[in-house]
Amino acid sequence: MFVKALDAAEIAPGGMKAVTINGREIVICNHAGTFYAVERACGHAKARLERGALTGWILTCPLHYAQFDIRSGEALSGPAPKAPAGAHPDPRDPALKTVGLKTWPARLEGGAVFVDVQ
Ligand code: FES
């Protein structure tokens, strides 16, 4: 069932805002007037993703820069490695893994954004 998340005017194109619906923490993203709803907590270490950057459909985590596609929640890249200068990080290091984000259907109706949170 779709539930009103916020007024569309609250988020400029390219912007994001966190909301809580039915106890779920969600980030609403505005990509060129189309809205997407993704899980708020980063799949790596739970950073609040609305504090990151949205470039097109790519949401970059503010903490270690993992990137996610807001259309699918797919993790496009893991967190940035913390190797000392001159060293090469091991790509098999579990600390460099993240998981995708949960997403929910979102739609614009009457100037408001509704999200189907189940
Ligand atoms: S918390 Fe998001 S990349 Fe580490």
Side-chain angles (χ1 to χ4, degrees):
M1 184 171 95
F2 280 87
V3 176
K4 181 179 176 183
L6 44 67
D7 291 323
E10 294 180 50
I11 311 175
M16 300 182 281
K17 186 168 184 179
V19 297
T20 301
I21 302 172
N22 295 344
R24 294 180 188 267
E25 293 189 71
I26 296 170
V27 175
I28 308 294
C29 307
N30 180 348
H31 171 70
T34 300
F35 293 84
Y36 298 86
V38 303
E39 185 176 2
R40 186 181 191 194
C42 177
H44 174 233
K46 308 295 181 199
R48 294 176 175 177
L49 291 172
E50 78 279 8
R51 296 180 181 173
L54 184 62
T55 305
W57 288 294
I58 299 175
L59 196 172
T60 302
C61 176
L63 204 51
H64 311 107
Y65 315 111
Q67 294 187 309
F68 305 91
D69 187 322
I70 61 171
R71 297 171 292 182
S72 64
E74 178 186 2
L76 302 174
S77 65
K82 291 191 292 184
H88 295 285
D90 181 350
R92 296 166 297 176
D93 182 347
L96 300 181
K97 302 286 185 210
T98 189
V99 296
L101 304 174
K102 183 167 178 49
T103 62
W104 295 271
R107 72 180 184 209
L108 181 61
E109 188 176 310
V113 178
F114 291 79
V115 177
D116 186 9
V117 179
Q118 306 221 0

